[in-house]
Amino acid sequence: MKINTMSEDKRKNIELKIQELLNELTLAQKLSLSDVGQFGYQLAFIRHMPEGNLAVVTLEESIISIDEEGEVDRKPNIKLRD
Protein backbone atom coordinates (compact mmCIF):
# COMPACT_ATOMS: atom_id res chain seq x y z
CA MET A 1 0.00 0.00 0.00
CA LYS A 2 2.80 2.43 0.77
CA ILE A 3 4.34 1.82 -2.66
CA ASN A 4 1.06 2.86 -4.34
CA THR A 5 1.01 6.07 -2.30
CA MET A 6 4.55 6.89 -3.39
CA SER A 7 3.65 6.24 -7.02
CA GLU A 8 0.60 8.48 -6.72
CA ASP A 9 2.70 11.20 -5.07
CA LYS A 10 5.29 11.01 -7.86
CA ARG A 11 2.58 11.14 -10.50
CA LYS A 12 0.97 14.17 -8.85
CA ASN A 13 4.35 15.93 -8.65
CA ILE A 14 5.01 15.30 -12.32
CA GLU A 15 1.54 16.55 -13.27
CA LEU A 16 2.07 19.68 -11.16
CA LYS A 17 5.45 20.39 -12.81
CA ILE A 18 3.94 19.92 -16.28
CA GLN A 19 1.11 22.30 -15.41
CA GLU A 20 3.62 24.89 -14.13
CA LEU A 21 5.52 24.68 -17.43
CA LEU A 22 2.34 24.97 -19.48
CA ASN A 23 1.34 28.07 -17.50
CA GLU A 24 4.52 29.78 -18.76
CA LEU A 25 3.50 29.34 -22.41
CA THR A 26 1.54 31.83 -24.48
CA LEU A 27 -1.75 30.77 -26.03
CA ALA A 28 -0.04 30.64 -29.44
CA GLN A 29 2.64 28.30 -28.02
CA LYS A 30 0.00 26.08 -26.44
CA LEU A 31 -1.86 25.80 -29.76
CA SER A 32 1.32 24.93 -31.66
CA LEU A 33 2.30 22.44 -28.95
CA SER A 34 -1.11 20.82 -29.32
CA ASP A 35 -0.59 20.58 -33.10
CA VAL A 36 2.83 18.90 -32.87
CA GLY A 37 1.70 16.84 -29.89
CA GLN A 38 -0.58 14.93 -32.26
CA PHE A 39 2.61 13.47 -33.78
CA GLY A 40 4.03 12.46 -30.40
CA TYR A 41 6.13 15.52 -29.56
CA GLN A 42 6.27 16.45 -25.88
CA LEU A 43 7.32 19.60 -24.07
CA ALA A 44 10.83 19.01 -22.71
CA PHE A 45 11.58 22.38 -21.14
CA ILE A 46 11.24 26.12 -21.53
CA ARG A 47 14.29 28.22 -22.30
CA HIS A 48 14.02 31.78 -21.01
CA MET A 49 15.46 34.04 -23.71
CA PRO A 50 15.73 37.86 -23.84
CA GLU A 51 13.12 37.88 -26.63
CA GLY A 52 10.75 35.65 -24.64
CA ASN A 53 10.17 32.09 -23.56
CA LEU A 54 11.08 29.38 -26.05
CA ALA A 55 9.32 26.04 -25.72
CA VAL A 56 11.63 23.14 -26.55
CA VAL A 57 9.76 20.06 -27.71
CA THR A 58 11.18 16.61 -28.39
CA LEU A 59 10.30 13.32 -30.00
CA GLU A 60 13.01 10.71 -29.58
CA GLU A 61 16.08 12.36 -31.19
CA SER A 62 14.09 15.12 -32.92
CA ILE A 63 14.02 18.60 -31.40
CA ILE A 64 11.80 21.51 -32.36
CA SER A 65 11.22 24.88 -30.74
CA ILE A 66 8.16 27.08 -30.50
CA ASP A 67 8.58 30.83 -29.99
CA GLU A 68 6.12 33.12 -28.19
CA GLU A 69 4.27 33.81 -31.45
CA GLY A 70 3.65 30.08 -31.90
CA GLU A 71 6.14 29.76 -34.77
CA VAL A 72 7.60 26.27 -34.99
CA ASP A 73 11.29 25.89 -35.84
CA ARG A 74 11.93 22.32 -36.96
CA LYS A 75 15.72 22.78 -37.04
CA PRO A 76 16.57 24.94 -34.03
CA ASN A 77 20.18 25.49 -32.99
CA ILE A 78 19.71 23.85 -29.60
CA LYS A 79 22.05 21.42 -27.88
CA LEU A 80 20.64 19.06 -25.25
CA ARG A 81 22.70 17.91 -22.31
CA ASP A 82 23.28 14.19 -21.90
Side-chain angles (χ1 to χ4, degrees), residues 33-81:
L33 179 59
S34 176
D35 288 345
V36 298
Q38 295 177 20
F39 301 103
Y41 283 90
Q42 294 183 340
L43 179 63
F45 60 91
I46 297 172
R47 185 168 283 174
H48 301 281
M49 309 289 286
E51 57 275 359
N53 290 343
L54 186 69
V56 179
V57 185
T58 60
L59 174 64
E60 297 174 9
E61 299 296 317
S62 180
I63 302 169
I64 62 175
S65 65
I66 305 171
D67 69 15
E68 287 200 333
E69 301 296 320
E71 293 294 320
V72 175
D73 183 350
R74 298 194 182 275
K75 296 191 184 237
N77 187 18
I78 295 174
K79 302 284 185 203
L80 297 181
R81 294 182 213 157

Side-chain angles (χ1 to χ4, degrees), residues 26-36:
T26 64
L27 179 58
Q29 284 173 313
K30 289 176 186 176
L31 291 172
S32 292
L33 179 59
S34 176
D35 288 345
V36 298

